[in-house]
Amino acid sequence: MSTARRSADYVIVGAGVSGLTAARRLAGAGKSVVVVEASDRVGGRTVNLDVGDGVITEGGGQWVGPGQDSVLALIDELRLDTFKTFVDGKSIYLRNGKTKKYDGTVPPLSPLVLADFAQLQIRLERMARSVPIDEPWRARKARAWDSRTFGHWLDANAWTDEAKLILTVALTVTNAEDLHSTSMLVQLQRIAASGGLNHMIEITDGAQESRVVGGSALIAQRMADALGPDVVLDSPVTEIRQDADGVLVRSARVDVDAKRVIVAMSPADVGRIAIADLPARRRMLQRRLSGGSESKLFAVYDTPFWREQGLNGQALTDLPMAGYVVDNSPPDGSVGILLTFVGTAGAGYGLHWPDAVLDDPDARRDAFLQALTTLFGPQAAHPIAYLEKDWTHEPWISGCVASRPPGLLTQYTDADRTPVGRIHWAGTETAVLNQGYLDGAVSAGERAAREVLAGESAPSQGESRSATSDRAATTLAASSANG
Amino acid sequence: MSTARRSADYVIVGAGVSGLTAARRLAGAGKSVVVVEASDRVGGRTVNLDVGDGVITEGGGQWVGPGQDSVLALIDELRLDTFKTFVDGKSIYLRNGKTKKYDGTVPPLSPLVLADFAQLQIRLERMARSVPIDEPWRARKARAWDSRTFGHWLDANAWTDEAKLILTVALTVTNAEDLHSTSMLVQLQRIAASGGLNHMIEITDGAQESRVVGGSALIAQRMADALGPDVVLDSPVTEIRQDADGVLVRSARVDVDAKRVIVAMSPADVGRIAIADLPARRRMLQRRLSGGSESKLFAVYDTPFWREQGLNGQALTDLPMAGYVVDNSPPDGSVGILLTFVGTAGAGYGLHWPDAVLDDPDARRDAFLQALTTLFGPQAAHPIAYLEKDWTHEPWISGCVASRPPGLLTQYTDADRTPVGRIHWAGTETAVLNQGYLDGAVSAGERAAREVLAGESAPSQGESRSATSDRAATTLAASSANG
């Protein structure tokens, strides 16, 4: 295979939502771009899974909601439609083998558990208010919060196992990682930056309110269609070089000369690319981040039969294989789809799955269907299809959203998004608002596009880099003085 | 370059101390072996740095001490000699700008700080006693301890900043990582498995008591010399395949057919090799471990001038660039060498270095020499040589000893060492005793060698694998019942 050589104003590495958004904004500003993508498709961590008969379900990021202005504006601009996540009917709450059905968003809890949930929420939101969302490492208690996990805080502060279960199930899904691995400070930043705890975990008026008609993968697809041959697939980037005049991005199928590059990948995957002279903070961040270990499991039925029973398909449970279940049927309800999330190494509340469930797709399927049967009755045992999306087996993506373990945010601060000369960074992991969501991918791509456009009139070492150094020098001086 | 094809009873991936020990033990049992190494040298994370005039200093693991029976026996077997780390004279303790000189192992602390240190040590060792060293995830409080960092525990339990400083400096060196990133459970296991806190941090009667004459790199070199052409350098392994009959290890210069393979690498680096059907626990462990961010800095003087001042070259300080300093001169004192350790992203006690120190070797050198001048006087400003060993810039090794962040030990348990069919694992990260030390590398290699020899009469799915599954199944059942 011969390697072509192209020139453009800017080159973007990664044709996910973030990279394509950056490319679209630059093209819209009259600049020439080339987007280089390792895999054979666009979309990154959004993908439509084919259910048959023209129906899809979403293997990756899929929800949008109020407050997520960047992605909502982009969806509108792309002339895509949204529809509401199905919520009509009762939800199921199951704990200790007892099933309760309820209307609205709050499960039927005892006054004690409700009070516990309230005190946890008040504490979390009070702490979150003291976290600067763009610089969480500057919170007064940043070091203490970044040196424990959210699970450790929850174990120490919850009065009841039941409130702990509910928060754990809800937040494990949004974190894509075991809460006993993820930093408390990261959790507080996310609560602060996504409109509060209720907004994070709720459907109606929350971050899971709406879906894209035709699937979230259409966002990237429409942007790629508009860019046409400027999106090069099947072309893993192997090296990025830069000098005073520009960058050279080398990939399997094309080498691109440009003024600047936007790397729109999870920092956990950037280590695949040879880049000389990365700052230590950036290099270590890339090494120490890893993709989230969450998978999505889907059972597809010829009809959303639970709706006829007055159920909306939602469940919040202590069942290991179905902690949180939600109706993921297409807007017309032509088939019924139930979705759950599982972590690769165990759920978030003290559970370790047998290796059979972790490593054997058939055993996993059986365990999931058994849980659904417990929740929705014998009809759930007989799906017309079963699908999984395990992001830990992708060739070019090492997991779903990367979640920072303790210490990373305070040690590496803004290395995720600080430009390195002519190299800029996008991807939802670099977003300030709604990090980990589709909205974060879009806003990060737009921020990176603004950076490179501003860079044309600025020196190649971005201002934010110098600002970081200045702050660190101040910290060192203070620490030495106090030492 | 053509790829040769060889057959052997066993193939070992990695010619570090652990892999070569495994190969030596197998060869000693009359088996044929091939050792395949990616880099152009043997030794892994041991390496001699040339100081000139036949003098070396050790860039990697270097110390051995009482209780480290595996490495001491191997050194003896290889007819290498050891000598005592230099301790004659006074040590320096510097805090808040005040220097004190003292004899023995305990700095001159106030009664309150001594009491604080004692209460911390008593608590740590009491907790450590409840941790089964071979299965720390079974400790009754394992989940609580594995969901917070050691730094978080220390901040919550130390009465005085001074005791905190001393423990932090001492344990950051042995952990090769910021204590606000590493799991409390991991720390307790290390205390339990290496003979207690004093043993870990002390020189005399401790883990830093002795060094190898000629440098620790001779351990690997002597073993490689004995194996001769069965050690293949410059040959990165790209893929490991296995079937019912054996394994095929593919590498740049040689493909090897064998009955079993021992992969003797940090789990953090195994992801470079394509291995089909790794269990989820193993795959995720490999992704989520990363090499430690510690570097060694050396100042070389024409004479160990501090000895003439009655100093032994040791210092424990709150100076960011010289928290722990030790005399690393050759046994004959023909030149003087002072050694310190720095983390790549900041020291362990609340400090963030300016990017200049992290990214500019000249600035780092100047900061180090300035700190040494503060400690040892103006002579320290004029070394005849300055050397660094930064393990984060090696082509085939992603850092020094990997330290587990919170959640890994309880989620992935013994995935570090559980065989996967005909694939066995060595490397100091897989050791039960003295993990992270040279001794752990040796004992892990010997354990892996025993496994493959035992495997000849056993089915290819090792017993420990089944045991793990059985335990996990029990846990699942218990969790569901309690749920």
Side-chain angles (χ1 to χ4, degrees):
Chain A
M1 188 162 58
S2 67
T3 304
R5 184 121 186 178
R6 290 179 61 170
S7 287
D9 288 326
Y10 303 111
V11 56
I12 291 92
V13 181
V17 170
S18 202
L20 288 167
T21 300
R24 180 178 179 86
R25 295 297 171 239
L26 292 170
K31 306 299 176 183
S32 60
V33 296
V34 175
V35 182
V36 188
E37 165 61 42
S39 86
D40 59 2
R41 62 171 183 83
V42 302
R45 286 171 283 179
T46 60
V47 66
N48 279 353
L49 307 181
D50 184 15
V51 176
D53 292 329
V55 177
I56 60 88
T57 192
E58 289 124 325
Q62 66 169 68
W63 279 300
V64 296
Q68 300 186 347
D69 299 339
S70 302
V71 70
L72 290 171
L74 178 63
I75 286 169
D76 198 47
E77 178 186 320
L78 295 171
R79 300 182 188 207
L80 290 166
D81 294 316
T82 62
F83 67 106
K84 293 275 163 61
T85 303
F86 189 85
V87 294
D88 301 338
K90 288 181 186 293
S91 303
I92 292 177
Y93 177 66
L94 182 152
R95 184 168 172 272
N96 288 345
K98 286 184 203 140
T99 301
K100 294 176 184 170
K101 295 172 184 172
Y102 65 100
D103 292 301
T105 57
V106 182
L109 304 169
S110 72
L112 174 63
V113 175
L114 283 172
D116 190 14
F117 197 90
Q119 65 96 9
L120 290 169
Q121 180 165 3
I122 288 167
R123 284 190 201 207
L124 285 171
E125 298 195 336
R126 189 172 51 209
M127 289 187 282
R129 275 195 296 278
S130 78
V131 175
I133 59 171
D134 54 341
E135 297 184 313
W137 50 89
R138 292 186 167 283
R140 194 171 58 82
K141 295 190 176 171
R143 190 155 180 93
W145 288 335
D146 199 35
S147 65
R148 74 194 299 192
T149 64
F150 180 74
H152 188 263
W153 180 88
L154 193 58
D155 289 341
N157 288 280
W159 305 334
T160 67
D161 284 348
E162 197 166 357
K164 198 156 70 175
L165 169 75
I166 293 167
L167 259 185
T168 298
V169 171
L171 290 179
T172 301
V173 171
T174 65
N175 277 273
E177 194 53 80
D178 190 315
L179 300 180
H180 286 82
S181 291
T182 61
S183 158
M184 174 76 181
L185 181 62
V186 169
Q187 197 60 61
L188 294 175
Q189 194 275 349
R190 288 191 183 189
I191 291 170
S194 61
L197 197 59
N198 285 341
H199 190 276
M200 281 176 81
I201 67 184
E202 285 185 359
I203 295 180
T204 303
D205 296 327
Q208 285 71 238
E209 185 173 77
S210 297
R211 299 168 56 200
V212 176
V213 176
S216 55
L218 293 186
I219 300 172
Q221 192 58 58
R222 293 244 168 132
M223 290 194 283
D225 290 347
L227 291 162
D230 291 333
V231 179
V232 181
L233 299 180
D234 289 314
S235 193
V237 170
T238 51
E239 186 182 6
I240 297 175
R241 294 187 197 176
Q242 62 173 319
D243 61 22
D245 300 318
V247 298
L248 169 63
V249 173
R250 308 194 63 168
S251 74
R253 293 179 59 209
V254 62
D255 291 348
V256 187
D257 291 294
K259 287 188 272 191
R260 289 170 185 273
V261 57
I262 294 173
V263 179
M265 300 165 62
S266 166
D269 289 320
V270 177
R272 304 171 190 270
I273 303 173
I275 309 177
D277 299 325
L278 281 181
R281 285 187 212 281
R282 171 82 207 179
R283 211 170 64 240
M284 293 306 297
L285 173 74
Q286 291 178 185
R287 270 198 194 157
R288 295 188 53 192
L289 267 186
S290 61
S293 58
E294 199 168 72
S295 301
K296 289 171 101 173
L297 312 186
F298 306 88
V300 183
Y301 302 92
D302 53 12
T303 167
F305 63 86
W306 50 91
R307 297 181 184 178
E308 296 149 27
Q309 302 165 18
L311 297 172
N312 59 20
Q314 271 187 72
L316 198 156
T317 86
D318 61 2
L319 300 175
M321 291 301 295
Y324 179 66
V325 181
V326 62
D327 183 324
N328 215 49
S329 308
D332 62 3
S334 59
V335 298
I337 303 179
L338 292 174
L339 156 65
T340 196
F341 301 82
V342 301
T344 303
Y349 39 101
L351 176 81
H352 285 254
W353 288 322
D355 288 353
V357 168
L358 292 176
D359 294 323
D360 177 350
D362 290 339
R364 200 157 48 230
R365 173 186 188 277
D366 291 349
F368 178 45
L369 295 180
Q370 194 183 336
L372 291 181
T373 304
T374 302
L375 293 168
F376 298 102
Q379 279 180 276
H382 306 290
I384 56 173
Y386 168 77
L387 295 93
E388 289 188 4
K389 183 63 195 178
D390 176 357
W391 290 94
T392 71
H393 278 99
E394 287 282 297
W396 298 107
I397 298 172
S398 67
C400 55
V401 178
S403 193
R404 286 167 171 77
L408 265 64
L409 206 48
T410 44
Q411 284 181 62
Y412 306 125
T413 63
D414 56 1
D416 55 349
R417 60 181 189 268
T418 302
V420 177
R422 297 176 171 275
I423 307 173
H424 300 254
W425 313 100
T428 192
E429 279 84 358
T430 72
V432 169
L433 292 177
N434 299 309
Q435 190 175 113
Y437 293 87
L438 282 172
D439 186 63
V442 174
S443 68
E446 292 179 336
R447 186 258 309 141
R450 285 193 303 273
E451 279 175 9
V452 302
L453 290 172
E456 293 197 40
S457 54
S460 70
Q461 295 292 333
E463 291 206 349
S464 50
R465 180 70 198 290
S466 311
T468 302
S469 298
D470 291 346
R471 284 201 302 275
T474 308
T475 311
L476 179 72
S479 174
S480 300
N482 299 335
Chain B
M1 187 161 57
S2 68
T3 305
R5 185 123 185 174
R6 290 180 61 170
S7 287
D9 288 326
Y10 303 112
V11 56
I12 290 91
V13 181
V17 170
S18 201
L20 288 168
T21 301
R24 180 178 179 85
R25 295 295 171 242
L26 292 170
K31 306 299 177 184
S32 60
V33 296
V34 175
V35 182
V36 188
E37 166 61 42
S39 86
D40 59 1
R41 64 172 182 82
V42 301
R45 285 171 285 178
T46 60
V47 66
N48 279 352
L49 306 181
D50 183 15
V51 176
D53 292 328
V55 177
I56 60 88
T57 192
E58 289 125 325
Q62 67 169 67
W63 280 299
V64 297
Q68 300 186 348
D69 299 339
S70 302
V71 69
L72 290 172
L74 178 63
I75 286 169
D76 198 45
E77 178 185 320
L78 294 171
R79 302 184 185 205
L80 290 166
D81 295 315
T82 62
F83 67 104
K84 293 276 165 59
T85 303
F86 189 83
V87 294
D88 301 337
K90 288 180 186 296
S91 303
I92 292 176
Y93 177 66
L94 181 153
R95 185 169 172 271
N96 286 347
K98 285 184 204 140
T99 301
K100 296 176 183 171
K101 295 173 185 173
Y102 65 99
D103 291 301
T105 58
V106 181
L109 304 169
S110 71
L112 174 64
V113 176
L114 283 172
D116 189 15
F117 198 89
Q119 66 95 10
L120 290 169
Q121 181 165 3
I122 287 166
R123 285 189 199 208
L124 284 171
E125 297 194 338
R126 189 172 55 210
M127 289 187 282
R129 276 196 296 278
S130 78
V131 174
I133 59 170
D134 55 341
E135 297 184 313
W137 50 89
R138 292 187 168 283
R140 193 171 59 82
K141 295 191 176 171
R143 192 156 177 91
W145 289 334
D146 199 36
S147 65
R148 75 194 299 191
T149 64
F150 180 73
H152 189 262
W153 181 88
L154 193 58
D155 288 341
N157 288 280
W159 304 334
T160 65
D161 283 348
E162 196 166 358
K164 197 156 72 175
L165 168 74
I166 293 166
L167 258 184
T168 298
V169 170
L171 290 178
T172 301
V173 171
T174 67
N175 277 273
E177 194 53 81
D178 190 315
L179 300 179
H180 287 82
S181 290
T182 62
S183 158
M184 174 77 182
L185 181 62
V186 169
Q187 197 60 62
L188 294 174
Q189 194 276 349
R190 289 190 181 189
I191 291 170
S194 60
L197 197 59
N198 284 342
H199 190 277
M200 282 177 81
I201 66 183
E202 284 184 0
I203 295 179
T204 304
D205 297 326
Q208 285 71 239
E209 184 173 78
S210 296
R211 300 167 55 199
V212 176
V213 176
S216 56
L218 293 185
I219 300 172
Q221 192 57 59
R222 293 244 168 131
M223 291 195 283
D225 289 347
L227 291 162
D230 291 334
V231 179
V232 182
L233 299 180
D234 288 314
S235 194
V237 170
T238 51
E239 187 182 6
I240 297 174
R241 294 186 196 178
Q242 63 173 319
D243 62 22
D245 300 318
V247 297
L248 169 62
V249 173
R250 308 194 64 169
S251 73
R253 295 179 57 210
V254 63
D255 291 347
V256 187
D257 291 294
K259 288 188 272 192
R260 288 170 185 273
V261 58
I262 294 173
V263 178
M265 300 163 62
S266 165
D269 289 319
V270 177
R272 303 171 191 271
I273 302 173
I275 309 176
D277 299 325
L278 281 181
R281 284 186 214 280
R282 172 82 207 177
R283 210 170 65 241
M284 291 307 297
L285 174 74
Q286 291 177 184
R287 270 199 193 158
R288 294 188 54 194
L289 267 186
S290 61
S293 58
E294 200 168 73
S295 302
K296 289 171 100 173
L297 311 187
F298 305 89
V300 183
Y301 302 92
D302 53 13
T303 167
F305 63 86
W306 50 91
R307 296 182 184 178
E308 295 149 29
Q309 304 164 15
L311 298 171
N312 60 20
Q314 270 186 74
L316 200 157
T317 84
D318 61 0
L319 300 176
M321 290 302 295
Y324 179 67
V325 180
V326 62
D327 183 323
N328 215 49
S329 309
D332 62 3
S334 59
V335 299
I337 304 180
L338 292 175
L339 156 64
T340 196
F341 301 82
V342 301
T344 303
Y349 38 100
L351 177 80
H352 284 254
W353 288 322
D355 288 352
V357 168
L358 292 175
D359 293 323
D360 176 349
D362 290 338
R364 201 157 48 231
R365 172 187 188 277
D366 292 348
F368 177 45
L369 295 181
Q370 195 183 337
L372 290 181
T373 303
T374 302
L375 294 168
F376 298 102
Q379 278 181 278
H382 305 290
I384 56 172
Y386 167 76
L387 295 94
E388 289 189 4
K389 183 63 195 179
D390 175 358
W391 289 95
T392 71
H393 278 99
E394 286 282 298
W396 298 106
I397 298 172
S398 67
C400 56
V401 177
S403 193
R404 286 165 171 80
L408 265 65
L409 206 48
T410 45
Q411 285 180 62
Y412 306 125
T413 62
D414 55 1
D416 54 349
R417 59 181 189 267
T418 302
V420 177
R422 296 175 171 277
I423 306 173
H424 301 253
W425 314 99
T428 191
E429 279 85 359
T430 73
V432 168
L433 292 177
N434 299 310
Q435 190 175 114
Y437 292 87
L438 282 171
D439 187 64
V442 173
S443 69
E446 293 178 336
R447 187 257 310 140
R450 286 194 303 274
E451 279 175 10
V452 302
L453 291 172
E456 293 196 40
S457 55
S460 71
Q461 294 292 333
E463 290 206 349
S464 51
R465 180 71 196 290
S466 310
T468 302
S469 299
D470 291 346
R471 283 201 304 273
T474 309
T475 310
L476 178 73
S479 174
S480 300
N482 299 335

